[in-house]
Amino acid sequence: MALQDKYKELLDAASSSGVANLQAREQDGVLYVDGDAPSGAVKDQLWDIYGKIDPDFRAGDLILNVNVTGAIDGGKLKVVTESTNLNIRKGPGTDQPIAGKAAHDEIVTLVSKANDQWWLIRTDGGAEGYAYAQYLQPV
Amino acid sequence: MKKQILNRLLLLFTILIPVMFTSCGPKDADIKANVEKAIQADPMASMGTLTVDVMNGVATIGGECKDGECKAKREEIAKGVKGVKSVVNNSTVMAPPPPPVQAPVTISADEPLSKNVTDAIKDHPGVEASVKDGVVTLTGEIKRADLPKLMQKLSALKPKKIENKLTIK
């Protein structure tokens, strides 16, 4: 339970900010926190708290897997890269050729989710392919 | 004349005697109401269900209490109510709620994990990663501003652990 105490602020914030299906389990010296965040802001807030408790994420004792849900097929997604374009690829993997690009902050359409990491998207310009899900957020 | 006065006095006593006896203390019904009121007013003692019966000043408390502390508190409160001679505490204590069901931790096998890690670090030139038994070890260097995004990507891949040995610029 020691890790639950260490990351108590984070767990409290997660439950009070409406993270659904929140799970926190400690196993072999690592705390695994999973859940569905209601918004990108909530996810960012949790990562800020994580970074405060464990500066530069050096301890290796937390796997914080809280992601924004609510992305549905046909729904709109925003490209949340730092500043660069997002590659759209022919298949789910960085080894796949690039089929097009979506700009930073561009709104695209989710066609379907190939898996947790790669989503098939379509831009308003007509480019269709797989993009990395961590750079996409439902709007 | 004397007889009339005597009769009147007798009548007065017959009315007064029961009144005097009952006015020795509060009535059972009043005590019951006061015990209920006192327990309901306490946030701890009022949790759960409550029944109160009072017979000749003996208060019997029943119902389901949240925990042992709540049960003891009810008894203490009831004893402090005016007119209560003794308390029979028949409150039961609720079974503690079952611990929330926790899904077991899923950890990715090295094969899909390695490929996914390669994808995740692709946008972070300077970062190298190795995967062994689910543990992702990061070496090389990264800008501090890019570190949270990299950690977010890797955490979503269900690794066992992330060993961050990156040099932060």
Side-chain angles (χ1 to χ4, degrees), chain A residues 23 25 32 56 94 134-135, chain B residues 102-103 119 153 160 164:
Chain A
Q23 304 259 2
R25 300 85 93 212
Y32 298 84
D56 297 339
T94 50
Q134 288 284 327
Y135 290 122
Chain B
Q102 294 274 17
D119 288 349
K153 288 193 233 174
K160 186 173 194 285
N164 175 13

Side-chain angles (χ1 to χ4, degrees), chain A residues 54-90:
Chain A
D54 177 19
D56 297 339
F57 316 109
R58 292 286 189 201
D61 56 5
L62 175 67
I63 298 293
L64 179 58
N65 183 24
V66 173
N67 290 294
V68 184
T69 51
I72 48 158
D73 293 358
K76 295 288 177 192
L77 302 168
K78 186 177 171 181
V79 176
V80 289
T81 50
E82 288 301 320
S83 61
T84 52
N85 289 334
L86 174 66
N87 286 330
I88 299 172
R89 294 175 180 274
K90 287 200 171 143

Side-chain angles (χ1 to χ4, degrees), chain B residues 20-74:
Chain B
M20 280 163 71
F21 268 102
T22 49
S23 64
C24 279
K27 282 187 200 149
D28 283 347
D30 294 337
I31 300 172
K32 173 178 150 72
N34 287 336
V35 169
E36 280 171 349
K37 213 166 103 185
I39 292 176
Q40 298 295 0
D42 186 278
M44 154 91 67
S46 59
M47 277 190 253
T49 57
L50 174 70
T51 61
V52 177
D53 277 309
V54 179
M55 180 80 81
N56 300 326
V58 177
T60 305
I61 315 171
E64 205 175 36
C65 226
K66 196 181 135 275
D67 51 25
E69 210 178 333
C70 158
K71 182 177 171 175
K73 186 87 187 163
R74 284 181 173 187

